[in-house]
Amino acid sequence: MRTAAAGDGDHPLAAAASSAAEHKVNLSARQPFVQALRTGLAETFFPDDPFRGFGWRPPAARAWGALKYFVPALEWAPRYSVGKFKYDLLAGVTIASLAIPQGISYAKLANLPPIIGLYSSFVPPLLYAVFGSSNNLAVGTVAAASLLLASIIETEVPPEENPQLYLQLFYTAAFFTGVFQTALGVFRLGLIVDFLSRSTITGFMGGTAAIIIMQQLKGMLGMKHFTPKTDLISVMRSIFHYRHEWKWQSAVLGICFLLLLLSSKHLRKKRPNLFWVSAIAPFMVVVIGGIFAFLVKGNEHGIPIVGDLKKGINPLSISQLTFTDKHVNTAVKAGFLSGILALAEGIAVGRSLALIKNEQIDGNKEMVAFGIMNIAGSFTSCYLTTGPFSKSAVNFHAGCRTPMSNVVMSVCIMLVLLFLAPLFKYTPLVALSSIIVVAMIGLIKVKEFCHLYRVDKFDFCICMVAFIGVIFFTMVIGLSASVGLSVIRALLHVARPKTCKLGSIAGGELFRDVRHYPNARNIPNVLVLQLGSPIYFVNAGYLRERILRWVEDEENASKLDGQDLQYVVLDLGGVTSIDNTGIGMLVEVHKSLDRKGIRIALTNPRLEVTEKLVLSGYIKDIIGEEWVFLTVKDAITACRYALQRSRSKEDGEV
Amino acid sequence: MRTAAAGDGDHPLAAAASSAAEHKVNLSARQPFVQALRTGLAETFFPDDPFRGFGWRPPAARAWGALKYFVPALEWAPRYSVGKFKYDLLAGVTIASLAIPQGISYAKLANLPPIIGLYSSFVPPLLYAVFGSSNNLAVGTVAAASLLLASIIETEVPPEENPQLYLQLFYTAAFFTGVFQTALGVFRLGLIVDFLSRSTITGFMGGTAAIIIMQQLKGMLGMKHFTPKTDLISVMRSIFHYRHEWKWQSAVLGICFLLLLLSSKHLRKKRPNLFWVSAIAPFMVVVIGGIFAFLVKGNEHGIPIVGDLKKGINPLSISQLTFTDKHVNTAVKAGFLSGILALAEGIAVGRSLALIKNEQIDGNKEMVAFGIMNIAGSFTSCYLTTGPFSKSAVNFHAGCRTPMSNVVMSVCIMLVLLFLAPLFKYTPLVALSSIIVVAMIGLIKVKEFCHLYRVDKFDFCICMVAFIGVIFFTMVIGLSASVGLSVIRALLHVARPKTCKLGSIAGGELFRDVRHYPNARNIPNVLVLQLGSPIYFVNAGYLRERILRWVEDEENASKLDGQDLQYVVLDLGGVTSIDNTGIGMLVEVHKSLDRKGIRIALTNPRLEVTEKLVLSGYIKDIIGEEWVFLTVKDAITACRYALQRSRSKEDGEV
């Protein structure tokens, strides 16, 4: 009986009388190789199809379109109006008031002279305004990347020993960051950033915020000595080791500032239209703190201050870039890692703000803009800049309309540099510390952690690995462990794709996973398996084992029912592609099942898969064209018909 | 009109009067976390479910079952019979006659004393017979791994300068190979081998065969000096540089041997039952060549011979393993790379032979067996062994029944070592070279290359990168470039999953890819997209762009037709899993479309995906449970109904 069912060449479709039976899988559809290659490359490197806008216009218009594509300022500048400028002016002044304290704070965080932070808020925003595609992003330095740069460069050149070289390495790292970001954008490799998952970023940002807050204990307690390491244990040990340096005056002032900043933040939550209070609060803290320190001569009474700030705009630093063998590796490493991080933050921020206004931003174009501004920055005494979340959110809420707000901010900073910089000499360090602490607290997203735990335990693990790795080891370790885990998970998804057994529901009309629909009924003599995801060398071995195991289990179950398994229907609807190893696997499965007298039927292969299966001869020479069906229902009808025929033949012979 | 269609909360399903409408997606199915974790781990590390055989038996039987699982010999030995032994004896003697010339040849290929090749055919086969799970595999040294080991170790310790240390590093490498293989098997990491795709192996084997054949030009021409490098250019330069060393006597003898061996191979193809002629041909070549060289005193007349071979079985080499800082890295690297290669060959050979006899072999168990035999081998003067293709195929054709044939071979080799070894002193090197050349020619599979080119251009590239990399650079470069390319391809599959637009066929009953079924008809006001493969952080960004682009294209097309797009149906049937970033992407897509007044409907999410979408609140809070359907048809019926209602409402209002 088995051999009859599996062997003879009846056309089982002749019997499939269902309404869709005349529709068969289109085996002749084929994409020419060149077209398939072009589509593949386009989807890989141009997923957003950036040039679709100007394909059918005359050459001059196309050139202008291309220029506008590369220089977005040409797009918005001609249509700029006084009405828009009013909004951008307000937003620009607001973010400038935030840029001054943040610039100084983050420069201190990176152990750089504070003036570098102001320099970094002058040149890069101007360039971003020309090349950037986001209307909402405000450019500036960021805490996480500042600390990351410091932690890498410190191990090579301690800032106390050789502050000049230390600073030069920051410029050099910014240069490499810029080159690297531009290259990524030009070669359309934005997909590298895709490998930073949301879970990784959440955990990494949370962990970084935590260690940055710990670093601020130095400033809050007015200490002079501190560990260059960032992990929890070293920091705690260092704080208690130098406990004789603690200054109560600093601590009291710090707590006052913290309360002030936190209440301004609270106010913003309660009354969103008072956002400007929290936006200028850091500036107010700096001003109040400075006046206070000046009046009480804080420096002599336990309240360390920033110290001298030179007047004047950015000096050129192009001659300070160091490419000597000895240090260039460190600069490249620091530039690469902080560049990836800065891109991830900048693009994520730009994207989420654009989403609210229903604008589009182009990731690859953004990379080029970031790259250009960092290269130019490294020539003009700036270190790494990107689009920080806090500043961009303030820019957005202040109602910015175009990147012109960055220009306004830049002009404000220029005025400060030219005329007011020396006034910031009296800023107490504790004011900067409290500004950083308040900015960082919001980045430890406990709610998000809980959400992750609830929805996806593995994502939660990835997030926690980053969080704990950053807190207890280093930022690089936390980040790489988390990315590594994500990539392993991605490869495991590929290496162990889900398969499931389908049962019939809706009276035999539909076929669905029996685990998902417990009412689904078994189909006698037939096993329907649904495969998912691409079939290729990574998972071919696994799928062979898995299919054979399903068959074995089904045979055992069938025997108990007194029936025997005669057909295996593979639903390929979810299989997006197949390679040579995968086809080899299907051939092996066919051989194994054939020996047991079990026949394979395929249903609904997709275009790419059909093409390969036809070309390799699998469909024609091995399973036979008549065993490829458009739907599972057709396949089962055909199996039943073939079974009946072979049985009646047998009966006739008996 | 738009807002009405997208906004109001009618239950569109009320209208879906199709036969399957009462069946909805089961939103409450959930796998408990522990169960999901256990299933996940089991599928990842125990894809073949090795212990399923003895789950429900009493403890003693289970212990015996487990012991039999780990020592497969206990499975077949008790049922062994004289009948089977007759077959195994014949097969064992046949493969022994092949093992002698191959052992000597491959040892020479690796610049080792020829006797090591014989040693390596004595101990490892005995151990494999106990622990191995394949009935067909014949154990021995292999050409590719021998050359790979030599090429890595030579760069550290040139064999001419310090032959003793060179040999010790081979033992040490074999030890690390064994440890590494055992560990892979014990920790069930067989999936590492899955990353060697069939295309990589085809190309690598072909390239290796080509460079091994080139290496034989030394022996064929009777040269003394030769380059230690393996690439085509170095070899050719070396051959013509030392052309004064060419010996016509060697060349003539070599061509005779080649013709003899090739004709025996040809005979086997013509008459498969005369397989033994080609199996013992190498041995005959060695014997004839030896007698000839002895008679004409070949060594003095331009026919170099093997030279002295010591009598006696393997000496212990455990004290010769070197773990000094200086060389251990080389040994580990050589052991790791050659171990992976040996595993890939051994497992592939075992699997393909088992397939013909419809037996099962267990990859992880095989790894442990290979590991044990290599560790034991490294203690007893053997270098790396595995299951070579040529020998195993001969074993199979000679009719072996159990691993006992390896024991028979081992005993034969032992007798040779004890009594006959000195006789092989006169074997001409040119005989060994011609044996290797003939063994290698079959590994350059031109037909397979053509097949790959026809079926899959990318697979062909992967194969050619290995082939050309091996020939023009080194074996390691060829292998790693090809594996790297395969992994990038795997990640690209993941990063750029295929999506397609579905149209209706079979009178609106079925929905399929419009590129695949050119007759598929558009559905007015509705865009149906089929997503495939897992949705997660790697591809979430891409999918968002891609979906929005589909929508934009469809909107433009709809406008030409005077209709507007109101619904997007996402067919999730092919999506096997989703992570946190992926859900975030769906939320963003929903927001973007909502702003355009377009509503999203989901159809047929799988179990794992449904679970996550429900837990994250996406289904309930964002798109609404009533917009999740079991089939595309249901979804479209519901969309049409909602559209009609909103239109008639509008008409009423007008």
Side-chain angles (χ1 to χ4, degrees), chain B residues 38-95:
Chain B
R38 194 185 296 150
T39 318
L41 289 177
E43 289 296 328
T44 305
F45 296 109
F46 298 91
D48 49 350
D49 196 7
F51 301 111
R52 74 191 133 154
F54 43 91
W56 52 86
R57 295 200 233 140
R62 277 170 75 172
W64 178 240
L67 194 64
K68 276 205 291 196
Y69 173 73
F70 290 111
V71 187
L74 293 176
E75 184 80 49
W76 58 264
R79 288 180 283 143
Y80 202 66
S81 62
V82 181
K84 282 182 187 168
F85 183 68
K86 272 194 267 176
Y87 287 102
D88 286 335
L89 183 66
L90 176 67
V93 173
T94 316
I95 53 175

Side-chain angles (χ1 to χ4, degrees), chain A residues 153-166:
Chain A
I153 295 178
E154 249 168 15
T155 56
E156 180 81 10
V157 178
E160 307 82 35
E161 285 179 20
N162 196 342
Q164 180 56 30
L165 183 59
Y166 182 76

Side-chain angles (χ1 to χ4, degrees), chain B residues 100-106 108-109 114 216 219-220 257 261 282 285-286 305-306 424 427-438:
Chain B
I100 298 165
Q102 274 195 352
I104 299 176
S105 311
Y106 296 155
K108 285 300 285 181
L109 184 65
Q216 301 320 312
M220 296 293 278
F257 288 150
L261 289 165
V285 163
V286 167
I305 57 171
V306 166
F424 291 101
T427 312
L429 292 184
V430 65
L432 300 181
S433 292
S434 46
I435 291 168
I436 296 182
V437 168
V438 172

Side-chain angles (χ1 to χ4, degrees), chain A residues 198, chain B residues 535 540-541 543-544 547 581-590:
Chain A
R198 198 176 276 225
Chain B
I535 299 180
L543 279 175
R544 186 190 46 239
I547 293 174
T581 314
I583 295 173
M585 181 279 284
L586 287 181
V587 174
E588 287 178 14
V589 167
H590 172 81

Side-chain angles (χ1 to χ4, degrees), chain A residues 352-586:
Chain A
S352 43
L353 294 178
L355 203 68
I356 304 177
K357 286 197 191 169
N358 199 23
E359 297 170 343
Q360 283 281 336
I361 71 158
D362 176 338
N364 288 298
K365 221 149 64 173
E366 285 293 280
M367 288 188 204
V368 176
F370 287 156
I372 292 174
M373 82 187 184
N374 275 315
I375 294 178
S378 73
F379 295 165
T380 52
S381 304
C382 305
Y383 76 106
L384 178 79
T385 46
T386 182
F389 183 76
S390 52
K391 220 190 242 181
S392 304
V394 167
N395 194 26
F396 179 84
H397 286 293
C400 65
R401 288 290 186 273
T402 65
M404 182 58 89
S405 62
N406 276 303
V407 178
V408 173
M409 167 177 77
S410 190
V411 171
C412 292
I413 300 287
M414 186 186 71
L415 296 175
V416 168
L417 283 170
L418 285 175
F419 307 109
L420 305 174
L423 293 184
F424 291 101
K425 170 182 170 182
Y426 291 98
T427 313
L429 293 184
V430 66
L432 301 181
S433 292
S434 46
I435 291 168
I436 296 182
V437 168
V438 172
M440 291 298 121
I441 281 177
L443 290 180
I444 307 180
K445 291 175 182 154
V446 180
K447 264 191 198 161
E448 180 82 359
F449 294 170
C450 296
H451 176 83
L452 276 181
Y453 180 77
R454 221 173 45 242
V455 176
D456 192 329
K457 303 286 184 292
F458 205 103
D459 263 328
F460 178 73
C461 281
I462 289 174
C463 174
M464 279 299 117
V465 163
F467 186 73
I468 291 171
V470 168
I471 292 184
F472 285 93
F473 301 94
T474 67
M475 294 170 79
V476 177
I477 288 179
L479 189 62
S480 4
S482 180
V483 170
L485 204 60
S486 309
V487 169
I488 288 176
R489 186 201 196 184
L491 288 177
L492 276 185
H493 267 299
V494 173
R496 297 287 183 258
K498 291 274 185 338
T499 55
C500 51
K501 180 186 160 183
L502 304 186
S504 79
I505 60 172
E509 284 294 315
L510 300 174
F511 299 86
R512 293 289 184 270
D513 186 356
V514 291
R515 289 171 312 144
H516 196 175
Y517 299 91
N519 294 331
R521 270 179 298 168
N522 258 340
I523 306 146
N525 306 108
V526 183
L527 169 64
V528 186
L529 294 178
Q530 186 179 31
L531 308 182
S533 77
I535 300 180
Y536 52 162
F537 71 99
V538 184
N539 57 29
Y542 167 73
L543 279 175
R544 186 190 45 238
E545 297 285 336
R546 195 67 191 89
I547 293 174
L548 295 179
R549 209 167 93 218
W550 277 115
V551 169
E552 210 171 295
D553 291 349
E554 188 70 12
E555 279 183 320
N556 294 338
S558 303
K559 261 176 213 151
L560 294 180
D561 297 353
Q563 294 184 323
D564 54 357
L565 182 64
Q566 306 236 353
Y567 297 95
V568 171
V569 176
L570 298 180
D571 180 2
L572 300 182
V575 177
T576 42
S577 61
I578 193 165
D579 78 345
N580 181 42
T581 315
I583 295 173
M585 180 280 284
L586 287 181

Side-chain angles (χ1 to χ4, degrees), chain A residues 19-20 23-26 29 31 33 43-44 46-49 52 191 194-199 351 355-356 358 360-361 448 451-452 454-457 459 486-487 489-496 498 500 505-507 509-510 512-513 515-518 530-534 536-538 542 544-546 548-549 552-553 573-574 576-581 583-585 588 591-592 595 604-608 610 612 615-616 630-631, chain B residues 19-20 23-26 29 31 33 43-49 52 191 194-199 351 355-356 358 360-361 448 451-452 454-457 459 486-487 489-494 496 498 500 505-507 509-510 512-513 515-518 530-534 536-538 542 544-546 548-549 552-553 573-574 576-581 583-585 588 591-592 595 604-608 610 612 615-616 630-631:
Chain A
S19 66
H23 292 276
K24 295 184 62 176
V25 172
N26 177 5
Q31 291 180 290
F33 173 64
E43 288 298 327
T44 305
F46 299 91
D48 49 351
D49 197 7
R52 73 193 131 155
L191 65 95
D194 292 348
F195 279 84
L196 291 177
S197 70
R198 198 176 276 225
S199 317
R351 200 181 266 161
L355 203 68
I356 304 177
N358 199 23
Q360 283 281 336
I361 71 158
E448 180 82 359
H451 176 83
L452 276 181
R454 221 173 45 242
V455 176
D456 192 329
K457 303 286 184 292
D459 263 328
S486 309
V487 169
R489 186 201 196 184
L491 288 177
L492 276 185
H493 267 299
V494 173
R496 297 287 183 258
K498 291 274 185 338
C500 51
I505 60 172
E509 284 294 315
L510 300 174
R512 293 289 184 270
D513 186 356
R515 289 171 312 144
H516 196 175
Y517 299 91
Q530 186 179 31
L531 308 182
S533 77
Y536 52 162
F537 71 99
V538 184
Y542 167 73
R544 186 190 45 238
E545 297 285 336
R546 195 67 191 89
L548 295 179
R549 209 167 93 218
E552 210 171 295
D553 291 349
T576 42
S577 61
I578 193 165
D579 78 345
N580 181 42
T581 315
I583 295 173
M585 180 280 284
E588 287 179 16
K591 275 190 200 160
S592 297
R595 217 166 291 110
N604 192 23
R606 293 196 186 192
L607 176 58
E608 289 79 9
T610 310
K612 296 258 172 72
L615 280 176
S616 67
L630 193 58
T631 64
Chain B
S19 65
H23 292 276
K24 294 185 64 176
V25 172
N26 177 5
Q31 291 180 293
F33 173 62
E43 289 296 328
T44 305
F45 296 109
F46 298 91
D48 49 350
D49 196 7
R52 74 191 133 154
L191 66 95
D194 292 348
F195 279 84
L196 291 177
S197 69
R198 199 177 275 225
S199 317
R351 200 181 262 161
L355 202 68
I356 303 177
N358 198 23
Q360 282 281 335
I361 71 157
E448 181 82 359
H451 176 82
L452 276 180
R454 222 174 43 241
V455 176
D456 192 330
K457 304 286 186 290
D459 262 330
S486 309
V487 169
R489 186 201 195 183
L491 288 176
L492 277 185
H493 267 299
V494 172
R496 298 289 183 255
K498 292 273 181 349
C500 50
I505 59 172
E509 285 293 315
L510 299 175
R512 293 290 184 271
D513 186 357
R515 288 172 312 144
H516 196 174
Y517 299 90
Q530 186 178 32
L531 308 182
S533 77
Y536 53 162
F537 72 97
V538 184
Y542 167 73
R544 186 190 46 239
E545 298 285 338
R546 195 66 190 89
L548 294 180
R549 209 167 92 218
E552 210 172 294
D553 291 349
T576 43
S577 61
I578 192 164
D579 77 346
N580 181 42
T581 314
I583 295 173
M585 181 279 284
E588 287 178 14
K591 274 190 201 160
S592 297
R595 216 165 294 109
N604 192 22
R606 292 196 186 192
L607 176 58
E608 289 79 10
T610 310
K612 296 258 172 70
L615 279 176
S616 67
L630 192 57
T631 64

